[in-house]
Amino acid sequence: WRSADDDQSDLAGRLADPRTLSLPEDLSATDALTRIAQAPAQATYYHYVLDRGGKLVGVVTTKELLAAGPHALVAAVMEREVVSLRADARIEEAMQHAHWRLYHTLPVVDRHGLFVGVLRYRALRKLEEEYQGAAIDNLPMALISLWEVSALVGIQLLTDVAASVPHWFGGHGKEAGAR
């Protein structure tokens, strides 16, 4: 997946795994289970269902396929309301997606709804740990900058207080000569 954006390294589509098994909606439950059995390394708990044009149209679990009649079509047993991530979503946005508390993978689609792949929660957490590690490496400089800002603010605050309450500082404020 490629975006028109020059810097794609922090986009969900770039991190999505395109090798995930997907199922066509017009496949029988029996044939779907056969495909899953033939490619267990590419299967996840959720099987994303695509139309013949590659558009994400549903999601089904292995359990739902097993419970369906052997001739039932995947389209008849799939859930049509699918939560997904946009391929052009920034990683920070993807990490904060509300549905991570419910799902360990989310499908990623392009702006046309075409299936790009899946993004795994653990992959995002690993990336987050790497970002935090980089942030810790920059921590000393960030603390120095923060100290400089707070020192300047503190000096200005003390100057303002000293100017407004001259009797605390021995009468050397604005109003010292007014007495």
Side-chain angles (χ1 to χ4, degrees):
W1 180 81
R2 293 204 43 89
S3 166
D5 190 351
D6 290 335
D7 180 21
Q8 303 171 17
S9 61
D10 67 341
L11 300 180
R14 183 70 181 246
L15 294 176
D17 184 357
R19 299 166 301 181
T20 302
L21 179 72
S22 58
L23 301 170
E25 63 183 334
D26 58 358
L27 197 63
S28 72
T30 301
D31 290 341
L33 289 168
T34 300
R35 280 196 187 184
I36 294 165
Q38 290 172 344
Q42 294 176 331
T44 62
Y45 179 77
Y46 307 105
H47 309 291
Y48 298 102
V49 183
L50 312 181
D51 67 13
R52 289 294 175 179
K55 187 173 183 178
L56 180 66
V57 293
V59 62
V60 67
T61 65
T62 304
K63 183 177 179 179
E64 291 167 331
L65 291 170
L66 288 168
H71 301 294
L73 294 180
V74 170
V77 295
M78 71 181 187
E79 173 62 45
R80 292 186 183 279
E81 297 291 322
V82 184
V83 175
S84 64
L85 292 168
R86 287 272 310 252
D88 58 357
R90 297 278 178 206
I91 294 304
E92 296 81 16
E93 179 185 344
M95 285 181 179
Q96 296 173 6
H97 198 285
H99 286 88
W100 286 122
R101 59 188 161 81
L102 301 173
Y103 306 110
H104 65 278
T105 61
L106 287 176
V108 179
V109 296
D110 70 8
R111 61 190 172 119
H112 303 291
L114 297 175
F115 184 72
V116 172
V118 298
L119 193 53
R120 290 174 176 78
Y121 182 74
R122 68 175 180 250
L124 279 178
R125 289 297 151 226
K126 183 178 178 185
L127 185 65
E128 182 180 43
E129 288 170 9
E130 290 173 12
Y131 278 141
Q132 287 176 346
I136 288 172
D137 292 343
N138 295 327
L139 187 59
M141 287 308 296
L143 289 175
I144 290 170
S145 296
L146 182 60
W147 178 84
E148 289 171 344
V149 168
S150 65
L152 291 173
V153 169
I155 291 169
Q156 183 61 49
L157 182 62
L158 285 174
T159 304
D160 291 347
V161 168
S164 64
V165 189
H167 64 279
W168 286 359
F169 299 96
H172 299 298
K174 290 181 190 173
E175 296 156 19
R179 286 186 193 181

